[in-house]
Amino acid sequence: AGTESPMSSPFCCVAVLSRENHPMWVRVLEPHAQDSQEGTSEEPPQELEEEDPLRFHFLVHSALDVFEERDRSNAAAADTLCDTYCGLLFPVEDFVVYGYTTKTKLKLVAVLEDAAYLDAAMQEFFERLHVLVMNALGNPFHRPGNYLRSAKLDASLDALIRELQGRVYLKK
């Protein structure tokens, strides 16, 4: 970090949607929580106020339309069953929504502040998030079909965001 000024995290919300398009895990983060925690980077980002999560849940659910449209357009290429970084799904208001699907049809969604981001860094974020989610789902105490609650997943996401936050921006 050296003499650089601390950057706030551009991540606002991260979600996992099931094969049936049900939310399995939705984590809403305050975009600028990192600024207020300059000396205490071990603490997780603070949660937003009550009315804000509803807006992010709406954006996450709006991403389903884009996933379904891409599934229909890729139906002809059914043998390309692999993990897919979908990239920018859509911009809306002050946010951009990125997505990733797995071969088991889980959908990973990230809502970020409106800015230009490096696709390679976002792809790395989703690939690593996918591993974290699979580890959490593989927990023998997690009941399939239930909402995913995992303190370890939350902490791992916080660490991943702190690690990547300076690398996701498109350099000018």
Side-chain angles (χ1 to χ4, degrees), residues 2-163:
T3 60
E4 294 177 25
S5 62
M7 283 187 142
S8 66
S9 172
F11 291 88
C12 302
C13 177
V14 177
V16 178
L17 303 168
S18 73
R19 171 184 203 112
E20 297 83 19
N21 297 332
H22 301 296
M24 295 176 64
W25 182 69
V26 180
R27 179 88 187 280
V28 179
L29 306 168
E30 181 172 349
H32 301 287
Q34 302 295 335
D35 287 346
S36 63
Q37 297 179 9
E38 183 179 338
T40 59
S41 62
E42 296 303 314
E43 295 178 25
Q46 299 170 1
E47 300 295 323
L48 286 173
E49 295 177 19
E50 278 303 310
E51 66 274 357
D52 290 327
L54 187 58
R55 176 172 45 165
F56 292 112
H57 280 260
F58 173 75
L59 293 175
V60 167
H61 284 297
S62 297
L64 289 173
D65 294 333
V66 180
F67 284 120
E68 288 176 8
E69 182 180 319
R70 290 185 183 192
D71 279 349
R72 281 193 299 273
S73 66
N74 291 336
D79 51 316
T80 61
L81 196 63
C82 61
D83 296 335
T84 306
Y85 170 65
C86 299
L88 177 66
L89 299 178
F90 58 90
V92 62
E93 298 172 5
D94 298 329
F95 306 102
V96 289
V97 180
Y98 281 81
Y100 182 94
T101 59
T102 70
K103 63 178 117 184
T104 59
K105 299 295 183 191
L106 287 181
K107 295 146 195 94
L108 310 180
V109 178
V111 180
L112 292 90
E113 294 176 334
D114 190 12
Y117 299 102
L118 288 170
D119 262 351
M122 291 304 298
Q123 184 170 1
E124 177 186 354
F125 168 77
F126 279 113
E127 289 169 353
R128 291 175 61 187
L129 176 63
H130 182 205
V131 170
L132 296 175
V133 169
M134 291 298 105
N135 288 341
L137 290 173
N139 181 339
F141 298 106
H142 171 70
R143 296 181 63 181
N146 286 357
Y147 192 81
L148 184 58
R149 298 190 194 288
S150 169
K152 184 175 181 180
L153 178 58
D154 289 343
S156 297
L157 175 67
D158 295 340
L160 178 59
I161 288 173
R162 276 193 300 274
E163 180 184 335

